[in-house]
Amino acid sequence: MPTIPWTKLADAEPGAEVVVMASRLEVRSLRHVPGFLRASLVLLRQARTADGALGVTLRAEPFKRTFWTLSAWRDKKALYAYSAAEPHKSVMRGKRAVMRGSTFVFWETKAGDLPIDWPEAERRIAENRAES
């Protein structure tokens, strides 16, 4: 599956500080990929309507059993509200058993710097994984 391109969801003042979250999620087996992909698309739809979401993109590497997300949020409160809301809360709880590993990174940037590109997200994730 190709990358789902960055979708701008809302505007923010270019100088406003916003929160970016990038994640790398790996499932244990290829047999878990179809279900995880379906769940990822459900959560992408949820993010697109979430209050405070500014933009989102998703990348799947099915044969590597790896999924990547990249999103920008008005603030941490909006991001945490999304992750605590349904269906995200239940979906992620249900998928824990099939997960091999996950990496999440958060940082702040100016709204005018959006969208963040994949190489920047990958760099930050790789740095976080090296530190762990």
Side-chain angles (χ1 to χ4, degrees):
M1 174 182 123
T3 300
I4 294 174
W6 180 266
T7 302
K8 181 180 177 181
L9 303 171
D11 290 316
E13 289 296 320
E17 288 286 326
V18 300
V19 175
V20 176
M21 187 211 62
S23 67
R24 180 186 181 279
L25 308 155
E26 186 177 344
V27 295
R28 294 184 185 278
S29 168
L30 284 174
R31 69 186 171 93
H32 300 301
V33 167
F36 201 88
L37 178 59
R38 279 191 302 277
S40 297
L41 295 173
V42 166
L43 300 185
L44 178 65
R45 269 193 303 277
Q46 179 190 357
R48 286 180 172 164
T49 61
D51 182 45
L54 302 175
V56 63
T57 178
L58 171 69
R59 186 172 76 195
E61 297 175 316
F63 294 109
K64 293 181 179 180
R65 305 178 330 270
T66 305
F67 297 81
W68 305 75
T69 70
L70 181 57
S71 57
W73 300 84
R74 177 183 59 231
D75 52 32
K76 284 183 182 180
K77 183 178 178 182
L79 172 58
Y80 295 155
Y82 159 75
S83 65
E86 295 298 341
H88 189 279
K89 182 179 177 180
S90 295
V91 167
M92 293 313 296
R93 188 178 316 131
K95 293 298 178 189
R96 281 189 193 134
V98 303
M99 300 297 299
R100 180 166 184 234
S102 318
T103 304
F104 297 90
V105 294
F106 305 86
W107 70 95
E108 292 185 356
T109 193
K110 300 287 186 197
D113 293 337
L114 298 177
I116 303 298
D117 61 22
W118 279 110
E120 175 66 10
E122 290 170 9
R123 181 186 68 76
R124 288 176 182 264
I125 288 171
E127 286 176 0
N128 182 277
R129 292 182 75 195
E131 292 171 3
S132 300

